[in-house]
Amino acid sequence: MEEGSGQRKEELFHVIHKVPQGDTPYVKAKHAQLVQKDPEAAIVWFWKAINAGDRVDSALKDMAVVMKQLDRTEEAIEAIKSFRGRCSKKAQDSLDNVLIDLYKKCGKVDEQIELLKRKLRQIYQGEIFNGKPTKTARSHGKKFQVSVKQETARLLGNLGWAYMQKSNYLTAEVVYRKAQMIDPDANKASNLGLCLIRQGRYEDAHSVLGEILQGKLPGSEDRKARKRAEELLTEVEAMQPAMGLSDVMGLDDDFVNGLEKLMNVWAPARSKRLPIFEEISSFRDQLAC
């Protein structure tokens, strides 16, 4: 009776702390991370798990996340690059997402842009999610489904923000508008509004931000989203009238013409392909920007 009760308590412990059962290096790493709250010890055990071939997919990803929390981002990046070859094909997408966050945190904008563009190419080539229309993702311990359309918009949003960090506001605008065409939300609208402000296009920014306060976009009800839109609108109202686009960016005619052609391409004829592949394929040539 006591043996059965002890076993149930042990099982309950693993459920509560979300720690796998066993005595392997990976289990010890998760115990150090989640129960003992000792990230340094967890990293040591994650390394042992990787070297022993013990749940390498999870060990490498989890170790990189812990390293990021300890501001050891450069080390985490090198670890993923060096050992992702030991991971399964299905783990590569998750590792890419961790890498994107690591690049963002340590300011490696060019590397972030290159990886985001590669993942977008995988989408229009039909290689993402192993050819399936959705994937199961996790956030704060909860599982949910992510569609290819949602993933595309998320990647484009990240790409737009990366271009913003390089002060390439015109390209960022192009990317954000494409993301909003695919899966609009208040967060990307705010970033688009900021992008337009940085170009001195205050009327356009006012129009985009106004859609958030009018509740026209998903996520508009979020208090933080509305507050940010209000702050950006206050900034817009304090600015002088917008300058011409060529004055702001110093654009040559060939570039402007190319952008106009791009906007025309964004209304493609229907095809037999999945709608999301049709939407993103019109954008592929611009990924080399």
Side-chain angles (χ1 to χ4, degrees), residues 36-144:
Q36 297 175 338
K37 307 296 183 182
D38 187 345
E40 296 288 354
I43 290 174
V44 171
W45 281 110
F46 280 132
W47 273 124
K48 291 181 179 181
I50 293 169
N51 291 327
D54 177 24
R55 304 193 193 186
V56 179
D57 290 2
S58 297
L60 182 57
K61 184 183 74 171
D62 292 348
M63 182 178 72
V65 171
V66 173
M67 286 179 170
K68 177 187 173 185
Q69 293 170 348
L70 295 176
D71 291 325
R72 294 165 60 177
T73 52
E74 296 280 358
E75 187 178 350
I77 290 170
E78 289 306 313
I80 291 178
K81 288 182 176 180
S82 299
F83 292 94
R84 69 183 306 167
R86 298 189 185 185
C87 298
S88 65
K89 183 178 179 181
K90 68 179 182 180
Q92 300 304 317
D93 183 58
S94 294
L95 291 172
D96 281 342
N97 289 332
V98 174
L99 264 181
I100 290 170
D101 287 340
L102 291 169
Y103 287 147
K104 186 175 183 179
K105 182 169 183 178
C106 66
K108 291 182 177 291
V109 180
D110 290 334
E111 290 86 345
Q112 183 184 358
I113 289 174
E114 184 57 36
L115 180 52
L116 287 166
K117 291 195 294 186
R118 178 166 65 79
K119 289 180 71 66
L120 285 165
R121 291 189 190 99
Q122 290 175 345
I123 289 179
Y124 70 70
Q125 290 170 356
E127 298 174 358
I128 199 169
F129 298 174
N130 295 315
K132 297 179 181 179
T134 62
K135 74 169 182 178
T136 301
R138 287 179 179 271
S139 179
H140 304 294
K142 296 182 179 180
K143 292 183 179 180
F144 58 96

Side-chain angles (χ1 to χ4, degrees), residues 251-264:
L251 300 176
D252 56 58
D253 291 339
D254 289 340
F255 189 89
V256 173
N257 291 336
L259 182 59
E260 289 177 351
K261 290 180 180 178
L262 168 65
M263 300 302 291
N264 291 332

Side-chain angles (χ1 to χ4, degrees), residues 101-207:
D101 287 340
L102 291 169
Y103 287 147
K104 186 175 183 179
K105 182 169 183 178
C106 66
K108 291 182 177 291
V109 180
D110 290 334
E111 290 86 345
Q112 183 184 358
I113 289 174
E114 184 57 36
L115 180 52
L116 287 166
K117 291 195 294 186
R118 178 166 65 79
K119 289 180 71 66
L120 285 165
R121 291 189 190 99
Q122 290 175 345
I123 289 179
Y124 70 70
Q125 290 170 356
E127 298 174 358
I128 199 169
F129 298 174
N130 295 315
K132 297 179 181 179
T134 62
K135 74 169 182 178
T136 301
R138 287 179 179 271
S139 179
H140 304 294
K142 296 182 179 180
K143 292 183 179 180
F144 58 96
Q145 293 296 309
V146 177
S147 69
V148 174
K149 187 173 185 178
Q150 291 171 323
E151 180 71 357
T152 303
R154 183 186 73 84
L155 292 172
L156 286 170
N158 284 337
L159 184 60
W161 185 253
Y163 279 123
M164 288 272 285
Q165 306 316 298
K166 293 179 69 69
S167 299
N168 192 341
Y169 300 120
L170 187 58
T171 301
E173 178 195 350
V174 170
V175 174
Y176 274 128
R177 288 195 184 279
K178 184 60 179 177
Q180 289 295 79
M181 290 169 64
I182 295 173
D183 189 28
D185 65 42
N187 181 57
K188 293 194 293 290
S190 290
N191 290 337
L192 174 59
L194 177 60
C195 179
L196 292 167
I197 291 172
R198 294 294 178 264
Q199 295 180 61
R201 295 165 57 193
Y202 307 123
E203 289 186 9
D204 290 342
H206 193 285
S207 176

